[in-house]
Amino acid sequence: MQAHARCADIRRVLTLLGLLAAVTFWPSASAYAGTGYVAAGSFGAEGSGEGQFKSPAGVAVNDATNDVYVYDAGNTRVQWFNSDGSKFEGQFDGSAAPTGQFAPPSAPSEDATHGTLFNLAIDNDASSPSAGDVYVVDPGHNVIDKFSATGAYVSQLTGFHAPIFGVTIDSTGHVWVAEEGKEENGANVGPVEEFDGALPNKPITEVKPEFLRSPGVAVDSEQNLYLLKGGADAVKFNHEGSFLEGFTACGCNTGLAIDEGTDELLLDQGTATARFGSFGATLAETLEDLPFSQALAVNGGTHRLYRSQREADIVAIFDLVSLPEVVTGAAGEEGRTTAKAQGEVNPGGEQVTSCEFEYGTDTSYGQSAACEQALGSGSASVQVSAQLTGLTATTTYHVRLVAGNAHGTRKGADATFTTKVAVEGVQTGQAGAVQSTSATLTGSLEPNGSDAHYFFEYGPCTSPFACESSPYGSTTAGADAGSASEDESVSAAVSALKPHQTYHFRMVAENAFGTTRGAEQTFSTVAVAPQIVGAPSAAFVTSQSAVLSASLNPEHLATRYHFEYAPCPVLVGCAGVQSTADEESSAFFTVPATQEISGLRSNTTYSYRIVADNEAEDEEGNHIGGTAVGPEGSLTTDMGTILQAQTGPASAITATSAMLSGSVNPGGQVATYIFELGVDQGQATAYGVVFSADAGSSTAFVGESLPIAGLQPGTTYAYRIVVRSGFGEAVGQSATFTTAGVAGVLSSPVSLPLLLVPGIVFPGDSASAPAPKKAGKPTRAQLLARAMKACAKQPKRRRAVCRRKAEKKYGRVHHKR
């Protein structure tokens, strides 16, 4: 310990001498306004030998000796070098510590999204008991090992409850340790503990700044804390943990450091380093296009900057030197192909050796123009400018001023300007003479001595997506606008447009300098009545129904249409005109209109036509659209099916039985015959079905008979035969017979199940329906026939819909004629 104390005394003397030298070279913090960082070399190489690295991480500087300590993460050791890295001084790996050699994080959950967990810091307070000591985070054991400047183990800081996300030492020798942030009482907080500089270090206080964080911590001379929050943005807190301000929003910071000589803040942004003024004042400069880094450190005496470049396995060095102050100004005198770049340069008392404007269409620039003014070595700002040439009309350019001296160059901030349009005065006018399919597009331009041509782009906006991407699609023919200096009014007629459609258009003008487009305008074509295309037609004509068809163009307006029909030579003046239910369409193009009519008379000629209507009001209340009546067509229904039934005499009559007879003519269609019976009451007789069966599909009379038993003696019965099919029914005349014997208590004979009526036959069908069943579950054909019969009783406007639903539910049934 005595030897250690003597070494500490020597370090304090060296530190005082270093600070004195720094004051001599850098008279005040304000002098940094004319300074900047320039590359000054690098040291290290890939490997595991002395002076070699595998993924170098944290960096720290001993301000008294100017030695640089590098956390060689891949080799889990710390190496230190002289100030320019040309001399390897030594290494240590924590083996002497109670927890053993440094180790990487023990679990993947402890890995940080940004920055590095391999952090270290050096006590640069010459009056501190731990002056010159090196504090190294051991992430695998979650402790901080403390070593002397020569790598001798001193002590250990323990008891941390979350992964250690950084260690730093303030100007009083106090140690600050940041832990990983976590959710606590509804807020994201991360403990930061303060220890004194004693041997060993004793805890003083703990603060809990809000925000989850990434690895990194720094402290300025006022004991303000600088941390990387979870999004990798830097934030500043006071000693009590209250938020003060944030820095940059790049979300890319990987490390941060404080220059103890100036309290300037430096942020490692991976491939760039941002330098802020004292205590995080306004951004002074950004070193860009650097190899990727995860940590940095700065010498508080010499202000030399070190960046650990993990992927290159080196440590890069940057020196703070006197550089010109550079301000990029706003461009002026923008033309089509030229512009004047402007700015200010303050030589800062040193000879300016270079001055130019870099420019291009993006921040990679690519072109440059030298400043037209001589700058010298004065201490006052000088206005500079340069003529930029070879530009393109109507184009945005980036520009920045760059000036240098013998120490290096300084780049001003990026600025932008836009060149003049190729053709001036291009204005899209209003559309005129707008009709349903044509319009006249107008515009104006100023050729101003350059031969100009123009045309119009136009097209419909058929959907939101089409409007957002490219509503155009057509162009008018190009026309010559001449080269006059005055304003020229121009126009172009467009045709073959669609009625009731919104069109977008704009004027486009061209000359030798390029192309200029005017602002977009819109117009809407006039709505027209629907169009009936061609003559109507009829199909599937039966004795009672037909399917009518026509061609209709709704002209992009909601159009209602229906068919009118009547058994008249012409519909005009006909008293019995009927109409189908309205249907609707709003297509741009010709569409088929098809509807079924039913309830027709057989062997009758009908006239029919389609009627379409799209009358409406637009947003301004104007009447648009109209009504269209199609030409008439005619059809003649089939003869139809004639059903016949004749009741025959009763025979073999006994007291309780009889034989009934009759004949039916199915009319060539599948039919069912039925015997009905009841106690004779004359016209008031209540008949009940006692038998039903298949009558076949003959076109001639077919005799049928029925033996019936269970009758009452001495009773007069009435009976009849009935024939039914999908085309209707025929009922035979009533007949009577009286059973033998004396009448008793009357009761009706037991009724037998009724065969359901066969389905209707559709014209053109070739398949035959299955034979009806004598009893049991009805067939789909029978169910369809029932449904069709029910539809016929619906109001006219509902019949077609009713039939379609029935067919959809039970399916069409096909029969052979």
Side-chain angles (χ1 to χ4, degrees):
M1 291 296 293
Q2 292 179 348
H4 182 77
R6 287 195 296 272
C7 289
D9 292 337
I10 295 172
R11 283 198 296 269
R12 292 189 190 97
V13 173
L14 293 175
T15 299
L16 291 173
L17 292 175
L19 291 174
L20 180 60
V23 170
T24 304
F25 187 74
W26 306 101
S28 68
S30 62
Y32 290 103
T35 61
Y37 279 103
V38 296
S42 63
F43 61 92
E46 180 183 3
S48 302
E50 293 182 351
Q52 296 179 326
F53 303 118
K54 283 185 179 179
S55 300
V59 185
V61 181
N62 186 318
D63 290 351
T65 64
N66 295 327
D67 287 346
V68 183
Y69 292 73
V70 182
Y71 208 142
D72 186 6
N75 293 313
T76 55
R77 64 184 178 181
V78 173
Q79 300 186 84
W80 80 94
F81 306 81
N82 64 354
S83 63
D84 60 8
S86 60
K87 182 182 178 182
F88 171 77
E89 299 286 1
Q91 62 178 310
F92 52 92
D93 62 7
S95 299
T99 50
Q101 185 177 355
F102 308 138
S106 58
S109 62
E110 296 179 3
D111 291 336
T113 303
H114 300 271
T116 177
L117 296 177
F118 294 92
N119 284 282
L120 73 167
I122 294 177
D123 186 348
N124 283 313
D125 176 21
S127 62
S128 169
S130 301
D133 286 349
V134 185
Y135 294 79
V136 182
V137 176
D138 182 351
H141 301 108
N142 209 43
V143 297
I144 296 177
D145 293 330
K146 181 177 178 181
F147 302 88
S148 70
T150 57
Y153 174 75
V154 176
S155 62
Q156 193 174 72
L157 281 69
T158 62
F160 303 104
H161 303 293
I164 299 170
F165 267 33
V167 59
T168 190
I169 302 172
D170 64 23
S171 58
T172 66
H174 287 192
V175 181
W176 296 79
V177 181
E179 295 185 46
E180 182 181 25
K182 61 183 178 180
E183 192 78 20
E184 186 175 297
N185 298 325
N188 293 323
V189 298
V192 179
E193 298 176 74
E194 180 185 8
F195 298 82
D196 64 15
L199 300 173
N201 305 89
K202 297 178 182 179
I204 299 175
T205 186
E206 179 185 79
V207 294
K208 292 185 176 181
E210 289 193 25
F211 301 125
L212 292 169
R213 66 173 58 105
S214 299
V217 61
V219 183
D220 62 26
S221 62
E222 295 181 352
Q223 291 192 323
N224 295 310
L225 292 168
Y226 299 81
L227 301 163
L228 295 185
K229 69 175 186 177
D233 287 330
V235 287
K236 178 181 178 181
F237 299 85
N238 63 16
H239 183 272
E240 288 72 34
S242 298
F243 175 79
L244 297 178
E245 61 179 314
F247 306 93
T248 77
C250 74
C252 61
N253 296 303
T254 59
L256 72 175
I258 292 289
D259 184 336
E260 294 184 5
T262 63
D263 278 312
E264 286 190 339
L265 170 67
L266 293 109
L267 294 180
D268 192 333
Q269 297 179 337
T271 57
T273 296
R275 174 191 174 203
F276 292 80
S278 299
F279 305 104
T282 306
L283 178 67
E285 67 174 330
T286 300
L287 305 178
E288 298 176 335
D289 303 322
L290 303 175
F292 185 82
S293 171
Q294 276 194 315
L296 48 72
V298 61
N299 188 315
T302 65
H303 313 289
R304 174 168 277 188
L305 172 66
Y306 299 88
R307 298 178 79 248
S308 61
Q309 296 180 357
R310 183 187 65 187
E311 296 173 359
D313 290 316
I314 61 172
V315 174
I317 304 172
F318 298 84
D319 282 339
L320 190 66
V321 297
S322 176
L323 294 175
E325 292 184 57
V326 177
V327 178
T328 306
E333 300 178 12
E334 298 93 332
R336 294 185 177 105
T337 60
T338 61
K340 184 179 182 180
Q342 302 175 115
E344 292 183 6
V345 177
N346 186 331
E350 296 202 24
Q351 181 68 39
V352 175
T353 57
S354 64
C355 179
E356 64 180 6
F357 288 90
E358 297 178 337
Y359 64 99
T361 55
D362 55 37
T363 52
S364 62
Y365 306 102
Q367 302 179 75
S368 63
C371 299
E372 297 173 351
Q373 294 77 16
L375 292 167
S377 57
S379 57
S381 294
V382 178
Q383 300 289 328
V384 294
S385 62
Q387 195 71 16
L388 310 183
T389 59
L391 309 181
T392 302
T394 325
T395 302
T396 296
Y397 283 87
H398 293 258
V399 62
R400 69 180 175 188
L401 176 58
V402 180
N405 56 22
H407 303 295
T409 59
R410 193 75 169 276
K411 298 175 181 178
D414 179 75
T416 60
F417 67 91
T418 302
T419 52
K420 284 187 177 181
V421 295
V423 183
E424 296 184 71
V426 175
Q427 303 254 350
T428 306
Q430 299 296 317
V434 179
Q435 300 298 320
S436 59
T437 59
S438 62
T440 299
L441 311 182
T442 67
S444 60
L445 72 161
E446 299 174 16
N448 284 337
S450 297
D451 185 45
H453 293 74
Y454 71 92
F455 60 90
F456 290 88
E457 296 176 332
Y458 67 99
C461 177
T462 56
S463 70
F465 175 77
C467 296
E468 293 171 3
S469 57
S470 176
Y472 313 110
S474 302
T475 59
T476 62
D480 190 353
S483 57
S485 58
E486 65 272 8
D487 182 79
E488 291 284 333
S489 296
V490 298
S491 64
V494 292
S495 58
L497 307 180
K498 293 184 174 75
H500 194 236
Q501 171 66 62
T502 297
Y503 282 84
H504 296 241
F505 72 100
R506 64 183 177 187
M507 180 178 168
V508 183
E510 300 174 326
N511 61 14
F513 299 106
T515 301
T516 301
R517 288 175 169 81
E520 183 181 279
Q521 299 283 5
T522 63
F523 69 92
S524 295
T525 49
V526 177
V528 296
Q531 303 296 313
I532 310 299
V533 182
S537 62
F540 303 108
V541 180
T542 71
S543 61
Q544 297 176 326
S545 65
V547 176
L548 307 182
S549 298
S551 295
L552 165 71
N553 187 339
E555 300 292 5
H556 193 227
L557 194 61
T559 299
R560 301 159 297 280
Y561 65 88
H562 63 268
F563 284 90
E564 296 178 343
Y565 61 98
C568 300
V570 293
L571 293 175
V572 178
C574 180
V577 176
Q578 294 179 276
S579 298
T580 60
D582 275 341
E583 295 190 21
E584 188 169 297
S585 176
S586 58
F588 270 119
F589 42 82
T590 301
V591 295
T594 302
Q595 290 184 315
E596 182 183 10
I597 57 174
S598 60
L600 307 181
R601 299 199 295 263
S602 63
N603 196 27
T604 303
T605 299
Y606 283 80
S607 295
Y608 62 92
R609 67 186 178 186
I610 189 172
V611 178
D613 170 45
N614 63 3
E615 290 186 0
E617 287 188 356
D618 61 16
E619 295 178 355
E620 288 75 31
N622 301 315
H623 177 80
I624 59 176
T627 302
V629 179
E632 293 187 11
S634 65
L635 64 89
T636 301
T637 55
D638 292 345
M639 288 291 294
T641 297
I642 301 175
L643 299 172
Q644 294 175 295
Q646 294 180 356
T647 306
S651 61
I653 301 170
T654 70
T656 59
S657 64
M659 176 69 75
L660 308 182
S661 68
S663 59
V664 295
N665 185 344
Q669 303 296 328
V670 176
T672 300
Y673 75 89
I674 303 162
F675 277 102
E676 296 179 340
L677 178 70
V679 176
D680 183 31
Q681 300 291 330
Q683 291 185 349
T685 299
Y687 291 96
V689 175
V690 291
F691 185 75
S692 64
D694 184 7
S697 58
S698 173
T699 57
F701 276 97
V702 178
E704 307 289 354
S705 62
L706 174 67
I708 185 167
L711 304 178
Q712 298 295 320
T715 304
T716 299
Y717 288 93
Y719 67 96
R720 62 189 180 188
I721 192 169
V722 180
V723 62
R724 292 178 182 172
S725 75
F727 290 89
E729 73 175 13
V731 181
Q733 74 280 11
S734 296
T736 63
F737 68 92
T738 303
T739 55
V742 179
V745 179
L746 296 180
S747 62
S748 297
V750 177
S751 295
L752 299 179
L754 172 66
L755 277 182
L756 295 173
V757 177
I760 188 169
V761 176
F762 290 89
D765 293 345
S766 59
S768 176
K773 299 178 182 178
K774 293 187 179 294
K777 184 178 180 181
T779 66
R780 291 180 65 85
Q782 292 167 340
L783 293 173
L784 176 62
R786 280 184 180 178
M788 287 296 186
K789 194 170 183 179
C791 289
K793 298 178 181 179
Q794 294 280 344
K796 287 187 293 182
R797 67 178 185 278
R798 299 180 182 174
R799 291 174 188 168
V801 175
C802 179
R803 290 192 182 93
R804 285 195 292 272
K805 288 182 177 178
E807 290 177 353
K808 182 176 181 182
K809 184 174 182 180
Y810 302 115
R812 283 185 180 266
V813 178
H814 305 282
H815 305 279
K816 291 184 178 179
R817 286 185 177 272

